[in-house]
Coordinates of all heavy atoms in Angstrom, one line a residue:
Chain B
G40 N 6.4 -12.7 -14.3 CA 6.4 -11.8 -15.5 C 7.4 -10.7 -15.4 O 7.7 -10.0 -16.4
H41 N 8.0 -10.5 -14.3 CA 9.0 -9.4 -14.1 C 10.4 -9.9 -14.5 O 10.8 -11.0 -14.0 CB 9.0 -8.8 -12.7 CG 7.8 -8.0 -12.4 ND1 7.8 -7.2 -11.3 CD2 6.6 -7.8 -13.0 CE1 6.6 -6.5 -11.3 NE2 5.9 -6.9 -12.3
S42 N 11.1 -9.2 -15.3 CA 12.4 -9.6 -15.7 C 13.5 -8.7 -15.2 O 14.7 -8.9 -15.6 CB 12.4 -9.6 -17.3 OG 12.1 -8.4 -17.8
H43 N 13.2 -7.8 -14.4 CA 14.2 -6.9 -13.8 C 14.2 -7.0 -12.3 O 13.2 -7.0 -11.7 CB 13.9 -5.4 -14.2 CG 13.9 -5.2 -15.7 ND1 14.8 -4.4 -16.3 CD2 13.1 -5.7 -16.7 CE1 14.6 -4.3 -17.6 NE2 13.5 -5.1 -17.9
V44 N 15.4 -7.0 -11.8 CA 15.5 -7.1 -10.3 C 16.6 -6.1 -9.8 O 17.6 -5.9 -10.4 CB 16.0 -8.5 -9.9 CG1 16.5 -8.6 -8.4 CG2 14.8 -9.5 -10.0
Y45 N 16.2 -5.5 -8.7 CA 17.1 -4.5 -8.1 C 17.4 -4.9 -6.6 O 16.5 -5.4 -6.0 CB 16.5 -3.1 -8.0 CG 15.9 -2.6 -9.3 CD1 14.7 -3.1 -9.8 CD2 16.6 -1.7 -10.1 CE1 14.2 -2.7 -11.0 CE2 16.0 -1.2 -11.3 CZ 14.8 -1.7 -11.7 OH 14.3 -1.3 -12.9
W46 N 18.6 -4.8 -6.2 CA 18.9 -5.0 -4.8 C 19.3 -3.7 -4.1 O 20.1 -2.9 -4.6 CB 20.1 -6.0 -4.6 CG 19.7 -7.5 -4.9 CD1 19.7 -8.1 -6.1 CD2 19.1 -8.4 -4.0 NE1 19.3 -9.4 -5.9 CE2 18.9 -9.6 -4.6 CE3 18.8 -8.3 -2.6 CZ2 18.4 -10.8 -4.0 CZ3 18.3 -9.5 -2.0 CH2 18.1 -10.7 -2.7
Y47 N 18.8 -3.6 -2.8 CA 19.1 -2.4 -2.0 C 19.6 -2.9 -0.6 O 19.1 -3.9 -0.2 CB 17.9 -1.5 -1.9 CG 17.4 -0.9 -3.2 CD1 16.5 -1.7 -3.9 CD2 17.8 0.3 -3.6 CE1 16.0 -1.1 -5.1 CE2 17.3 0.9 -4.8 CZ 16.4 0.1 -5.5 OH 15.9 0.7 -6.7
R48 N 20.4 -2.1 0.0 CA 20.8 -2.4 1.4 C 20.3 -1.2 2.3 O 20.4 0.0 1.9 CB 22.3 -2.5 1.5 CG 22.8 -2.7 2.9 CD 24.2 -3.2 3.0 NE 25.1 -2.3 2.4 CZ 26.5 -2.6 2.4 NH1 26.9 -3.7 2.9 NH2 27.3 -1.7 1.8
Q49 N 19.8 -1.5 3.4 CA 19.4 -0.5 4.4 C 20.1 -0.7 5.7 O 19.8 -1.7 6.4 CB 17.9 -0.4 4.5 CG 17.4 0.8 5.4 CD 16.0 0.7 5.8 OE1 15.4 -0.4 5.9 NE2 15.4 1.8 6.1
L50 N 20.9 0.2 6.1 CA 21.5 0.2 7.4 C 20.5 0.9 8.4 O 19.7 1.7 8.0 CB 22.8 0.9 7.4 CG 23.9 0.3 6.6 CD1 25.1 1.2 6.5 CD2 24.3 -1.1 7.1
P51 N 20.6 0.5 9.7 CA 19.6 1.1 10.6 C 19.6 2.6 10.6 O 20.6 3.3 10.5 CB 20.1 0.6 12.0 CG 20.9 -0.6 11.7 CD 21.5 -0.4 10.3
E52 N 18.4 3.1 10.6 CA 18.1 4.6 10.5 C 18.7 5.3 9.3 O 18.9 6.5 9.3 CB 18.7 5.2 11.8 CG 18.0 4.9 13.1 CD 16.5 5.5 13.0 OE1 16.4 6.8 13.0 OE2 15.6 4.7 13.1
E53 N 18.9 4.5 8.2 CA 19.3 5.1 7.0 C 18.4 4.7 5.9 O 17.6 3.9 6.0 CB 20.7 4.7 6.6 CG 21.8 5.2 7.6 CD 23.2 4.9 7.2 OE1 23.4 4.6 6.0 OE2 24.1 5.0 8.0
G54 N 18.5 5.4 4.7 CA 17.7 5.1 3.6 C 18.2 3.9 2.8 O 19.3 3.4 3.1
L55 N 17.5 3.5 1.8 CA 17.9 2.4 1.0 C 19.1 2.9 0.1 O 19.0 3.9 -0.4 CB 16.8 2.0 0.1 CG 15.5 1.4 0.7 CD1 14.4 1.2 -0.3 CD2 15.8 0.1 1.5
K56 N 20.0 2.0 0.0 CA 21.2 2.3 -0.9 C 21.2 1.3 -2.0 O 21.2 0.1 -1.8 CB 22.5 2.2 -0.1 CG 22.7 3.3 1.0 CD 23.3 4.5 0.4 CE 23.3 5.7 1.3 NZ 23.9 5.5 2.6
F57 N 21.1 1.8 -3.2 CA 21.1 0.9 -4.4 C 22.4 0.1 -4.5 O 23.5 0.6 -4.2 CB 21.0 1.8 -5.6 CG 21.2 1.1 -6.9 CD1 20.3 0.2 -7.4 CD2 22.4 1.2 -7.6 CE1 20.5 -0.5 -8.6 CE2 22.6 0.6 -8.8 CZ 21.7 -0.3 -9.3
M58 N 22.3 -1.1 -4.8 CA 23.4 -2.0 -4.9 C 23.6 -2.4 -6.4 O 24.7 -2.2 -7.0 CB 23.3 -3.2 -4.0 CG 23.2 -2.9 -2.6 SD 23.1 -4.4 -1.6 CE 24.7 -5.0 -1.6
V59 N 22.6 -3.1 -6.9 CA 22.8 -3.7 -8.2 C 21.4 -3.8 -8.9 O 20.4 -4.0 -8.3 CB 23.5 -5.1 -8.1 CG1 22.6 -6.0 -7.3 CG2 23.8 -5.7 -9.5
Y60 N 21.5 -3.8 -10.3 CA 20.3 -3.9 -11.1 C 20.6 -5.0 -12.1 O 21.6 -4.9 -12.8 CB 20.0 -2.6 -11.8 CG 19.1 -2.5 -12.9 CD1 18.0 -3.4 -13.0 CD2 19.3 -1.6 -14.0 CE1 17.1 -3.3 -14.1 CE2 18.4 -1.5 -15.0 CZ 17.3 -2.4 -15.1 OH 16.4 -2.3 -16.1
L61 N 19.7 -6.0 -12.2 CA 20.0 -7.1 -13.1 C 18.7 -7.4 -13.9 O 17.6 -7.2 -13.5 CB 20.2 -8.4 -12.2 CG 21.2 -8.4 -11.1 CD1 20.6 -8.4 -9.8 CD2 22.2 -9.5 -11.2
Q62 N 19.0 -7.9 -15.1 CA 18.0 -8.6 -15.9 C 18.4 -10.0 -15.9 O 19.5 -10.4 -15.5 CB 18.0 -8.0 -17.3 CG 17.5 -6.6 -17.4 CD 17.5 -6.1 -18.8 OE1 17.7 -6.8 -19.8 NE2 17.3 -4.8 -19.0
K63 N 17.6 -10.9 -16.4 CA 17.9 -12.3 -16.5 C 19.2 -12.5 -17.2 O 19.4 -12.1 -18.3 CB 16.8 -13.1 -17.1 CG 15.6 -13.3 -16.2 CD 14.7 -14.4 -16.6 CE 13.5 -14.5 -15.8 NZ 13.8 -15.2 -14.5
E64 N 20.1 -13.2 -16.5 CA 21.5 -13.5 -17.0 C 22.3 -12.3 -17.4 O 23.3 -12.5 -18.1 CB 21.3 -14.4 -18.2 CG 20.6 -15.7 -17.9 CD 20.5 -16.7 -19.1 OE1 19.8 -16.4 -20.1 OE2 21.3 -17.7 -19.1
N65 N 22.0 -11.2 -16.8 CA 22.8 -10.0 -17.2 C 22.8 -9.0 -16.1 O 21.7 -8.7 -15.5 CB 22.1 -9.4 -18.5 CG 23.0 -8.4 -19.2 OD1 24.2 -8.4 -18.9 ND2 22.4 -7.6 -20.0
I66 N 23.9 -8.5 -15.8 CA 24.1 -7.4 -14.8 C 24.1 -6.1 -15.5 O 24.9 -5.8 -16.4 CB 25.3 -7.5 -13.9 CG1 25.3 -8.8 -13.1 CG2 25.5 -6.3 -13.0 CD1 26.6 -9.0 -12.3
I67 N 23.1 -5.2 -15.2 CA 22.9 -4.0 -16.0 C 23.8 -2.9 -15.3 O 24.4 -2.1 -15.9 CB 21.5 -3.5 -16.0 CG1 20.6 -4.6 -16.7 CG2 21.3 -2.2 -16.8 CD1 21.0 -5.0 -18.1
D68 N 23.7 -2.8 -14.0 CA 24.3 -1.7 -13.2 C 24.7 -2.2 -11.9 O 23.8 -2.6 -11.1 CB 23.4 -0.5 -13.1 CG 23.9 0.7 -12.4 OD1 25.1 0.6 -11.9 OD2 23.3 1.7 -12.3
E69 N 26.0 -2.3 -11.6 CA 26.4 -2.8 -10.3 C 27.2 -1.7 -9.6 O 28.1 -2.0 -8.8 CB 27.2 -4.1 -10.4 CG 28.4 -4.0 -11.3 CD 29.2 -5.3 -11.5 OE1 28.9 -6.2 -10.6 OE2 30.0 -5.5 -12.4
S70 N 26.9 -0.5 -9.9 CA 27.7 0.6 -9.4 C 27.6 0.8 -7.8 O 28.5 1.4 -7.2 CB 27.3 2.0 -10.0 OG 25.9 2.2 -9.8
G71 N 26.6 0.2 -7.2 CA 26.5 0.3 -5.8 C 27.0 -0.9 -5.0 O 26.9 -1.0 -3.8
M72 N 27.5 -1.9 -5.7 CA 28.0 -3.1 -5.1 C 29.4 -2.9 -4.5 O 30.3 -2.3 -5.2 CB 28.1 -4.2 -6.1 CG 26.7 -4.8 -6.4 SD 26.1 -5.9 -5.2 CE 26.8 -7.4 -5.8
P73 N 29.7 -3.3 -3.3 CA 31.1 -3.3 -2.8 C 31.9 -4.1 -3.7 O 31.5 -5.1 -4.3 CB 31.0 -3.9 -1.4 CG 29.5 -3.7 -1.0 CD 28.7 -3.7 -2.3
K74 N 33.2 -3.7 -3.9 CA 34.1 -4.3 -4.9 C 34.4 -5.7 -4.5 O 34.7 -6.6 -5.3 CB 35.4 -3.5 -5.0 CG 35.2 -2.1 -5.6 CD 35.0 -2.2 -7.1 CE 34.9 -0.8 -7.8 NZ 33.7 -0.2 -7.6
E75 N 34.4 -6.0 -3.2 CA 34.9 -7.4 -2.8 C 33.7 -8.0 -2.0 O 32.9 -7.4 -1.4 CB 36.1 -7.3 -1.9 CG 37.3 -6.7 -2.6 CD 38.5 -6.5 -1.7 OE1 38.4 -6.6 -0.5 OE2 39.6 -6.2 -2.3
R76 N 33.7 -9.3 -2.0 CA 32.9 -10.2 -1.2 C 31.4 -10.2 -1.6 O 30.7 -11.2 -1.3 CB 32.9 -9.8 0.3 CG 34.3 -9.9 0.9 CD 34.3 -9.7 2.4 NE 33.8 -8.4 2.8 CZ 32.6 -8.2 3.4 NH1 31.8 -9.3 3.6 NH2 32.2 -7.0 3.7
F77 N 30.9 -9.3 -2.4 CA 29.5 -9.2 -2.8 C 29.4 -9.6 -4.3 O 30.2 -9.2 -5.1 CB 29.0 -7.8 -2.6 CG 28.7 -7.4 -1.2 CD1 29.7 -7.2 -0.3 CD2 27.3 -7.3 -0.7 CE1 29.4 -6.8 1.0 CE2 27.1 -7.0 0.6 CZ 28.1 -6.7 1.5
S78 N 28.4 -10.4 -4.5 CA 28.1 -10.7 -5.9 C 26.6 -11.0 -6.0 O 25.9 -11.3 -5.1 CB 28.9 -12.0 -6.4 OG 28.5 -13.1 -5.6
A79 N 26.1 -10.8 -7.3 CA 24.7 -11.0 -7.5 C 24.5 -11.7 -8.8 O 25.3 -11.5 -9.8 CB 23.9 -9.7 -7.5

Side-chain angles (χ1 to χ4, degrees):
Chain B
H41 287 194
S42 56
H43 299 244
V44 165
Y45 308 79
W46 283 94
Y47 297 86
R48 176 166 63 178
Q49 186 192 27
L50 296 170
E52 287 295 297
E53 293 188 15
L55 297 174
K56 292 275 171 54
F57 168 76
M58 298 180 76
V59 63
Y60 165 35
L61 311 107
Q62 293 178 11
K63 282 198 183 283
E64 299 184 286
N65 197 15
I66 296 175
I67 304 300
D68 181 356
E69 56 181 349
S70 57
M72 286 279 271
K74 294 281 186 284
E75 296 174 350
R76 302 187 298 108
F77 284 72
S78 62

